[in-house]
Amino acid sequence: MSEAARRPRGSGRLIAVANMKGGVGKTTTVVMLAEALAADGASVLVVDLDPQASVSVCLAGETALAEMIARGRTLEAYLALKLVSREKPLLAPRIQSQTGVTMHRNAPLPLALLPAGPYLRLVEREILYELTARNFSMRAIDGKLRTIFEDEFVPLAERFDYILFDCAPGISPMTEVAIRGADLVIVTSIPDYLSTYGLDAFIQTVWGDKDRRHDAVVPARQPHVLVTRYQPQVRQHQHTLARLQAEANAEDPGFRLFATRIPQAAALAGALMPRRDLPTFSGKYGIHVSTILIPLVAEVKGVFDGA
């Protein structure tokens, strides 16, 4: 049974944005989608699972993030206390309830953040060492992390309409738990050979291993691929997109394909840069609000409306 199947109806949605490859627009997508959903009236929590902490810097800024790290108000600090020191920390106090500085209709967008710092990868490794030393098998470690996810993260769906997980490249322990427990997994990919090369392997690893691992939690839905940094004038992008469309339209597809394409655009890259002023949502994204963000929000909501 999937995690979503156990969740009460009417609660918030958990969305993991992932890919085994880095540099394919995961963080850009998380920031844009989070702000677009918030502008649409939803309450949104962003959870940073990437030790690069890119989404934390984008939403909170370097100064605020440094303070959160110093005060132990990050995901890795919580995990270290919980699993290495064996204390009983609370997750909720580490959620920054108002981190967004983008304005919409004369008020800040309702964005909350559970930040990560650069030591997240080290903490995840230390967790593996610690639990292994306590005679936990890898399967038991997976179960331990899954229990934390179910007990601490899933209940947050009663507080927020959407929880977006910015996943690390590859499949780290917490990233895999988030992907398997999400209501929707968005796989961002540039439409070129190298970016899509590992797509089948990623899908097979997560969605196709239920026969090999009987205790593995399979995500609630097929992954939905979102094409990013699309350049329609580039022939390789045209050919790769056509191949993705053909695979998604096959009789038994391994993934779905969003109709929205995120273009290669300086305005979108610039939207992630920290600014000293308080930008408005429409001023920040310009024409992309109507051509990209509103259609993407409609597609994401449509996934759940069609459930």
Side-chain angles (χ1 to χ4, degrees), residues 259-263 268 285-296:
T260 303
R261 319 278 182 243
I262 308 300
L268 295 179
Y285 294 104
I287 191 174
H288 298 298
V289 171
S290 59
T291 61
I292 302 299
L293 300 185
I294 290 177
L296 179 58

Side-chain angles (χ1 to χ4, degrees), residues 92-173:
R94 291 170 169 80
I95 295 174
Q96 312 302 310
S97 60
Q98 185 60 61
T99 54
V101 296
T102 302
M103 304 293 290
H104 184 60
R105 296 176 180 171
N106 299 318
L109 288 172
L111 276 177
L113 171 69
L114 176 57
Y119 297 107
L120 175 58
R121 182 72 76 216
L122 295 177
V123 168
E124 288 186 314
R125 188 175 65 180
E126 189 63 28
I127 288 171
L128 295 179
Y129 291 159
E130 173 68 22
L131 295 184
T132 300
R134 288 156 51 188
N135 296 320
F136 276 70
S137 65
M138 287 304 300
R139 185 167 295 181
I141 292 173
D142 288 343
K144 187 80 170 177
L145 293 174
R146 190 163 65 237
T147 297
I148 290 176
F149 185 84
E150 294 171 359
D151 292 346
E152 300 289 349
F153 287 90
V154 171
L156 294 173
E158 297 298 330
R159 176 178 166 188
F160 297 96
D161 297 316
Y162 295 94
I163 301 174
L164 273 61
F165 296 89
D166 187 19
C167 296
I171 304 183
S172 69

Side-chain angles (χ1 to χ4, degrees), residues 190-201:
I190 302 170
D192 60 27
Y193 175 76
L194 288 178
S195 299
T196 58
Y197 179 75
L199 180 59
D200 288 342

Side-chain angles (χ1 to χ4, degrees), residues 56-70:
S56 296
V57 171
C58 290
L59 294 179
E62 290 185 42
T63 301
L65 178 58
E67 181 181 349
M68 296 173 197
I69 293 173

